[in-house]
Amino acid sequence: MSIPPPEVTMVTERRVACDGAEAIRGGPGFVPSALGHPRVWLEIDEHGYVDCGYCDRRFVLAGGPADGADQATLSDISSGATP
């Protein structure tokens, strides 16, 4: 049985960056990104999504094969991350 990813982010580009800290930046309660993880670049392939190997955030390509799918039914796909 699969469980859904902890966070799903819709994107419009196949190459995305993740540092695990996008949600804690800016605003009155600003927290430095040191609470995230090293920035990695991920590539979305023909499946239409990719998972960050650090924080498990899933990036789904808008209009791609995984757009609108039940994320809990999709297997984990980690891209070769590059710093």
Side-chain angles (χ1 to χ4, degrees):
M1 179 173 143
S2 295
I3 59 173
E7 186 176 343
V8 176
T9 302
M10 298 299 294
V11 296
T12 57
E13 302 289 328
R14 289 193 173 272
R15 186 165 164 84
V16 296
C18 183
D19 65 8
E22 282 93 13
I24 59 174
R25 282 206 187 97
F30 176 76
V31 177
S33 63
L35 297 177
H37 60 70
R39 175 173 284 173
V40 292
W41 291 92
L42 308 167
E43 190 76 31
I44 298 174
D45 64 9
E46 69 275 357
H47 295 98
Y49 66 99
V50 68
D51 298 322
C52 175
Y54 283 100
C55 64
D56 291 331
R57 179 179 290 154
R58 177 166 289 171
F59 294 90
V60 177
L61 183 64
D67 188 3
D70 179 2
Q71 298 299 313
T73 63
L74 302 175
S75 61
D76 291 346
I77 296 179
S78 293
S79 175
T82 56

